[in-house]
Amino acid sequence: MRLWDKPIELNEKLLSLVADIYDASLDDSRWTTTLGSIVDLAGGQGGGLVWIGAAGEAMISHAVGVEPAHVQSYIETYEPFDPSRGVLHAPVGQIQTIRDWIDVDEFRTTRFYNEWARPQGLEDAANILLHKSAEGISRLSIMKAGSAVDRRMYQVISHLTPHVQRAMLVRQKLQQQNALEATSARTLDALQTAVLLLDADGNITHSNASARDILDEADVLRSVHGRLVMSDLNADRVLRQALAGTVLGDRAMTSASISLHLMARDGSRYVGHLLPLTAGRRQMFAASYEACAVLFVSKAALDTIVAPDLIRKLFKLTPAELRVFLSIVEIGGVPDVARSMGIAETTIKTHLARIFTKTGTKRQADLVRLVAAFSPPIKI
């Protein structure tokens, strides 16, 4: 008898159950109820979605119609003696019963039957290997009480198996994606550099921990109803123009990053780099967050004792030039540095000209950006 020759009521139940199966793939909490419906429609007593990890450990993802004590004893003691383990070597998607691996009379003499199945009134089970990969194996088991798996149970399970397989695949992909996103979020949160993903209107679609810290201070950057605003009006104007350019397809705005020089109320200096996400492979990343650009913001501060020495050695600066270099970054313009160091402005300008030559820079703002590059990439 073909499935569509069966009573209309059963067909409607099957169609409704298929919808429930795909709903469960998106909401793991629905699996127990859905599995119960599968067992009921198939005429079984109990069922389980079993996942076996790569190391061979058996875990019951979801179980119905079986007492928790029996589930636990299966995992801890009886799983190795279960003849239905043979399904792990069967073709994926093929329904197999106890009779496919062992004679019924012989099965009834086994420890598994007498100590685990028989006390529950179980006589047979339909088992299907749903998925097999390097990460592990998943299987569906529908247990039958009082008699062997019959034609009706086989037909119901045959109809539902492809949908359960697809649902489990969707579930696996979602779990992998969630794990990847969680890892990416943890990685971004470990960065000392603030990272903000922005849409065309400047709305923040994602921010890492460092960015949230800066936003909470509401000094250099702040969020106004979810929209990023820079305290420096000129930098804010450049940001708006750049974001608009990425949407309009301005080639100058969609290829290279844009540098921004920012200053806090206490005189601390920050460097921002706006990178468009509207060209090449960046578009794939942008689509995940509905973003058109990513803004990196770093504080231009030498907060390690290693960085000044690295800068001195890398650019072959004299001790005097290094002091001027650091003072320019930390204090500001030539007059302020001269007063702070007790040196004539002409001397500071002479040192500064040599520093520009050695570092390949032209402006004091370039030195600030250079220092930002020597900040440690992760939080210490």
Side-chain angles (χ1 to χ4, degrees), residues 107-142:
F107 173 60
R108 289 175 179 168
T109 66
T110 64
R111 177 185 178 186
F112 178 78
Y113 175 78
N114 286 287
E115 295 182 11
W116 194 84
R118 185 179 179 183
Q120 300 178 73
L122 302 175
E123 291 293 332
D124 200 359
N127 294 276
I128 310 98
L129 182 64
L130 299 171
H131 167 78
K132 188 174 185 178
S133 69
E135 288 77 29
I137 296 171
S138 62
R139 58 183 271 207
L140 172 66
S141 180
I142 307 297

Side-chain angles (χ1 to χ4, degrees), residues 225-254:
H225 303 300
R227 186 171 183 260
L228 180 67
V229 176
M230 295 184 167
S231 57
D232 185 293
L233 296 180
N234 182 60
D236 195 71
R237 177 183 55 80
V238 172
L239 173 68
R240 306 297 158 201
Q241 290 176 343
L243 291 174
T246 61
V247 176
L248 296 174
D250 186 340
R251 292 188 63 183
M253 297 293 188
T254 57

Side-chain angles (χ1 to χ4, degrees), residues 2 27 190:
R2 297 170 300 178
D27 182 357

Side-chain angles (χ1 to χ4, degrees), residues 339-350:
R339 282 193 297 271
S340 174
M341 297 183 67
I343 300 175
E345 289 187 26
T346 53
T347 303
I348 297 297
K349 290 179 180 178
T350 299

Side-chain angles (χ1 to χ4, degrees), residues 33 36-37 42 83 113 128 133 141 206 216 264 284 294 316 318 330 353 355 375 377:
T33 301
S37 298
Y113 175 78
I128 310 98
S133 69
S141 180
H206 183 78
D216 287 343
M284 296 177 62
V294 57
K316 297 181 172 57
T318 66
E330 294 174 358
I355 293 169
S375 297

